[in-house]
Amino acid sequence: MARIIEEQYVWRLPVRIYHWINALSIAVLFVTGIYMAFPIISPPVGEAVWYHRMAWVRYIHFGTAFIFIANFLFRLYWALFGNDRYGRFGGFKPWLPAWWGQPFKEQLASYLFLKKEEPDYCGHNPVAALTHFLFVFLGSWFMILTGLAMYGENNPGGFLDTMFGWVVLLFGSSLTMHTMHHLVAWVFPVYLILHLYAVVRHDIVNRSSITSSIITGYKNRVEECAEYAD
Amino acid sequence: MEKKETFAEVFEARGVKRRDFLKFCSLMSVYLGLAPTMVPRIVSAMEKKPRIPVIWLHGLECTCCSESFIRSSHPIVADIVLNMISLDYDDTLSAAAGFQLEEIRKKIMKEYKGKFILAVEGNVPLKDNGVYCTINGESFLDVLKETAADAMAVIAWGSCASFGCVQSARPNPTGATPVHKIIKNKPVVNVPGCPPIAEVMTGVITHFLTFGKLPDLDRLKRPKTFYGVRIHDKCERRPYFDAGMFVESFDDDGARKGWCLYKMGCKGPTTYNACSSIKWNEGVSFPIGSGHPCLGCSEPDFWDNGPFYTRRADVSFVGVNSNADKIGVVAVGAAAAGMAAHAIGTAIKKGTSESKTVETEED
C-alpha cells in the first residue's frame, strides 16, 4: 500500500474552472447538436408561432458554443502564457523526435501491459498529453471552425462568413461540412469514456486522488513521483 | 458583318407592347436587386446596345437547362425570351446541323472574337482523352477550349457545368469535370441548379448587357444576387421548423398541414438558390411549396450527399447507410468495450504482481 508522502498543488484555479466550463458546455453542445440533427420530441399542439422549440435548442447550442469558444481561447492563452507548471504546453513538443522517446514509450508500454511499472506523473503523462492534443485541442478547433462557418451561412458577406466561409470550400459543399461537424462531435463522447476510465484507473493504480484533484487542485504524492512537465 | 439588333428592336418586331417591355425591365431590376433608379439604365441598355452574340455549347448534360431557359415567363411570349440573346449557335435548337452548324460557330468566333458570351450546358468528360462526349468527331474538351479561347466570358449553366452534377457523382466513370476547372483564363460565372430558374438565367444575361460585366460572384463563382440567400431562411415553412413541427412521413397529418420538411431530408438549410423567392413556372410554386423537400440541386456534390429523404446524410468515405450517429454509436461502443477489456487487464496485472510480491515475501 502506497503511503501519502505529500499533497501537491497541480491544477491551478483557472485550469479547474476551464475544465468544468468545458465539460458542461460540451455536454450541452452534444445533446442539443444531436437533437438538432434528429428532433425526436413530438410536435407541440397549436399554432407554430406560439412555439420556438427547435429555435430554442438552436439558440442554446449557439449560445453555449460561444461560451465554449471563449473558454477554449482562454485556455489557449493560459497554456501559452500562463504561469502554470502543469497547465502549460511547456514540454509538449511532438514535432521533436526526442518527445517520442523514453517517457512516452514507457507510458505507452505500461498502458499496453508490456511493462509492469505504472509511471506516476504530477501533470499529464506524455500519452495523456497526446490524447488531449488529438481529441480536445484538434477536435475543438475542428468544431469551432466548422461551427462558425455554419453559423455565418445565414448571412453571406457578413462578418462570420467573411472570416470563416473559406472552411466550406475545404469540404466541397455545405452539407458535407454539416455531416462532418456532426461526425466529429462523436469524438467527445469517445474521449469522455477514455478520459473517465483513465482517471479512475490512475486513482486506483497510483492512489494519487487524481479524480478529486480537478475539484480541489491537489494530488497526493505517493512514493516516487516521475516528472514529465518541462 | 451585319449590325446586331437591339433587344428593343427584337421585342418590337415580335409585337411586344412598349408597356410590356418596360414591365420586363422593371422586373429584371427587381430580380437583380437594383434600385428603382436603375430601371432607365436597363431600358437604355436594352434599347441601344446590340444584343450579345452567344454560343451555347452542350456537353454531358440532359438539356434541362435549355428546357428551363425557353420557359422564361417574362415577357409572356416564350420565343421572345429566346431572343433575349442573339443565340447564334446552339446545337440543340438550331435549324442547321452538321458541318453547316460548325461553320457558323467558327464564323462567330472569328467575327466577334473576344466579344461573344460562351454559354456552356453540361460538363466535360476528361477520361480517355474525352471520348465520352464528342461533337462532329471532336472531343467536347477540344471544342470547349477552342471556343472559350475567343470568348469574352463563360457562363456555366446548371449544376453540370458549375459543379459536375450527376455525371461526376461517385465513382464518376467518365471523369466529368465542371467548366471552371478547365477554363482558367476567362471569367466564369456558375449558374447552378438542376435546372437553374429561367428568370435567374435571363437575369444574369440582363446584368451583363446593362453593365457590360458579370454580376458580383461569391466564393463558388455564383451571382450573389440569386444565390445569396439560403432556401431555409426565406422558406414559407420556416415557422414550423422553429416551432419543431415536422413532417414525419409523406402521408401524415403534418404533411397535409404543410409543416416543415426538415426530417424528410430537406436540404433547404444548406442550399443557396432563388427558389423560395422567385419560385418556378411564373412564380406558381417551388418544391417545398408543393410539399417536397429541397434536394439541394444547386449545391456541389448533391448526388453524393444522399439519401435525399433523410436529414442525416451518408458519410461518404464510409459508405451508404452510414450516418454520423451510427458511426458515433459504434465508436462509443468500441471505446467502452476497449476500456472494459483494459480494466480486466489491469485487474489481472495487479493480481499477478501482488501475488508475486506475496511470494517473494514468503521466500
Side-chain angles (χ1 to χ4, degrees):
Chain A
M1 182 74 71
R3 195 167 47 86
I4 296 175
I5 299 166
E6 64 171 313
E7 285 189 320
Q8 283 198 322
Y9 191 47
V10 180
W11 309 124
R12 292 188 57 187
L13 189 61
V15 174
R16 283 177 280 150
I17 291 176
Y18 155 80
H19 175 273
W20 288 110
I21 292 178
N22 197 39
L24 285 175
S25 53
I26 286 175
V28 172
L29 286 167
F30 187 77
V31 171
T32 51
I34 293 292
Y35 185 82
M36 276 153 62
F38 193 62
I40 44 166
I41 301 174
S42 53
V45 179
E47 281 191 41
V49 288
W50 298 343
Y51 301 98
H52 300 94
R53 182 175 292 164
M54 190 70 169
W56 267 109
V57 174
R58 296 176 74 235
Y59 190 66
I60 293 167
H61 189 83
F62 303 145
T64 312
F66 282 109
I67 295 172
F68 172 77
I69 293 167
N71 192 44
F72 181 77
L73 291 178
F74 163 74
R75 185 66 180 86
L76 204 58
Y77 167 82
W78 192 254
L80 290 168
F81 308 110
N83 178 21
D84 188 335
R85 178 170 183 168
Y86 301 108
R88 283 180 69 114
F89 277 135
F92 184 68
K93 290 175 179 133
W95 57 91
L96 294 179
W99 186 86
W100 301 88
Q102 208 54 24
F104 180 83
K105 281 180 191 149
E106 274 177 14
Q107 181 64 56
L108 194 65
S110 164
Y111 278 142
L112 295 174
F113 305 118
L114 300 172
K115 203 170 183 311
K116 209 179 101 184
E117 287 79 24
E118 293 281 353
D120 186 19
Y121 288 86
C122 290
H124 292 127
N125 72 55
V127 175
L130 185 68
T131 313
H132 283 103
F133 177 75
L134 293 176
F135 284 81
V136 179
F137 185 79
L138 293 185
S140 296
W141 270 120
F142 185 91
M143 297 309 275
I144 289 169
L145 289 177
T146 52
L148 287 174
M150 284 192 273
Y151 194 64
E153 279 190 311
N154 77 323
N155 185 21
F159 176 73
L160 283 175
D161 178 68
T162 311
M163 299 297 287
F164 300 101
W166 55 271
V167 178
V168 185
L169 300 182
L170 303 179
F171 294 92
S173 74
S174 170
L175 189 66
T176 310
M177 182 171 73
H178 279 69
T179 305
M180 293 316 292
H181 187 82
H182 188 160
L183 182 66
V184 174
W186 281 96
V187 156
F188 292 96
V190 168
Y191 166 78
L192 181 69
I193 291 173
L194 302 182
H195 179 58
L196 291 182
Y197 170 73
V199 165
V200 172
R201 182 182 182 277
H202 273 287
D203 223 348
I204 294 170
V205 173
N206 302 121
R207 296 197 172 82
S208 55
S209 71
I210 183 174
T211 314
S212 61
S213 73
I214 200 60
I215 297 171
T216 62
Y218 285 93
K219 268 181 162 181
N220 291 335
R221 191 189 177 115
V222 288
E223 296 170 348
E224 197 61 19
C225 196
E227 293 282 326
Y228 156 65
D230 71 20
Chain B
M1 170 171 139
E2 59 192 293
K3 189 184 169 290
K4 282 273 170 197
E5 293 171 296
T6 65
F7 284 91
E9 280 163 1
V10 173
F11 288 170
E12 211 182 315
R14 299 277 174 148
V16 174
K17 289 189 196 122
R18 171 112 187 128
R19 190 180 170 80
D20 286 334
F21 168 64
L22 292 178
K23 270 189 191 170
F24 170 79
C25 292
S26 7
L27 195 81
M28 276 302 145
S29 79
V30 173
Y31 284 160
L32 291 168
L34 302 172
T37 47
M38 294 303 283
V39 178
R41 197 158 160 192
I42 296 181
V43 175
S44 148
M46 289 275 173
E47 281 176 335
K48 289 177 191 148
K49 291 188 186 169
R51 294 185 305 161
I52 309 163
V54 172
I55 293 183
W56 189 305
L57 293 180
H58 296 256
L60 278 188
E61 48 94 353
C62 72
T63 320
C64 76
C65 302
S66 292
E67 289 287 344
S68 175
F69 187 65
I70 61 178
R71 279 162 183 73
S72 279
S73 52
H74 301 279
I76 309 136
V77 199
D79 66 340
I80 289 183
V81 177
L82 202 56
N83 281 291
M84 272 283 301
I85 48 175
S86 171
L87 191 54
D88 296 300
Y89 173 96
D90 185 322
D91 41 18
T92 306
L93 297 171
S94 300
F99 293 111
Q100 204 184 357
L101 186 62
E102 290 306 307
E103 279 304 306
I104 296 174
R105 180 170 66 88
K106 298 262 160 67
K107 198 173 137 223
I108 302 162
M109 281 166 55
K110 218 169 92 190
E111 283 184 9
Y112 296 96
K113 196 176 162 91
K115 284 177 190 145
F116 67 91
I117 291 182
L118 173 62
V120 186
E121 190 178 341
N123 54 30
V124 192
L126 291 183
K127 265 193 199 153
D128 304 322
N129 296 323
V131 293
Y132 301 111
C133 185
T134 57
I135 297 160
N136 196 26
E138 282 184 76
S139 77
F140 181 59
L141 176 65
D142 293 340
V143 174
L144 176 70
K145 277 186 175 166
E146 185 194 2
T147 320
D150 290 336
M152 173 166 51
V154 181
I155 301 181
W157 284 146
S159 290
C160 299
S162 303
F163 301 134
C165 205
V166 69
Q167 305 89 302
S168 72
R170 265 183 299 277
N172 192 359
T174 63
T177 308
V179 172
H180 68 90
K181 287 190 180 161
I182 293 165
I183 308 300
K184 300 274 189 190
N185 55 351
K186 296 279 170 181
V188 178
V189 52
N190 287 335
V191 186
C194 191
I197 304 169
E199 283 74 14
V200 170
M201 301 173 83
T202 33
V204 171
I205 289 178
T206 307
H207 188 284
F208 199 92
L209 186 81
T210 311
F211 300 107
K213 61 180 170 85
L214 291 173
D216 277 353
L217 305 179
D218 65 10
R219 282 190 193 85
L220 295 171
K221 297 182 198 285
R222 301 174 295 196
K224 284 180 183 169
T225 329
F226 298 108
Y227 297 90
V229 176
R230 272 191 303 191
I231 300 289
H232 188 56
D233 292 326
K234 246 192 146 180
C235 180
E236 59 201 26
R237 299 189 182 211
R238 183 62 185 265
Y240 293 113
F241 172 83
D242 287 336
M245 296 157 89
F246 300 107
V247 175
E248 303 279 345
S249 77
F250 285 118
D251 55 356
D252 72 359
D253 212 31
R256 205 155 37 245
K257 289 172 180 160
W259 288 1
C260 177
L261 293 157
Y262 181 73
K263 287 180 84 173
M264 300 309 293
C266 184
K267 306 292 185 289
T270 48
T271 303
Y272 291 86
N273 208 335
C275 302
S276 51
S277 37
I278 293 178
K279 302 194 175 175
W280 289 80
N281 304 322
E282 301 182 40
V284 172
S285 186
F286 72 115
I288 298 170
S290 312
H292 191 277
C294 168
L295 299 182
C297 76
S298 57
E299 286 295 308
D301 309 329
F302 85 99
W303 288 98
D304 291 328
N305 280 327
F308 285 153
Y309 299 110
T310 337
R311 170 60 198 166
R312 291 174 295 184
D314 289 344
V315 177
S316 52
F317 54 82
V318 180
V320 285
N321 280 329
S322 63
N323 70 47
D325 288 342
K326 285 185 190 169
I327 297 169
V329 168
V330 170
V332 166
M339 292 308 104
H342 199 275
I344 294 165
T346 307
I348 294 168
K349 182 180 178 183
K350 219 167 179 296
T352 50
S353 63
E354 267 168 18
S355 60
K356 268 181 197 159
T357 336
V358 175
E359 277 165 24
T360 35
E361 274 171 18
E362 278 175 356
D363 290 347

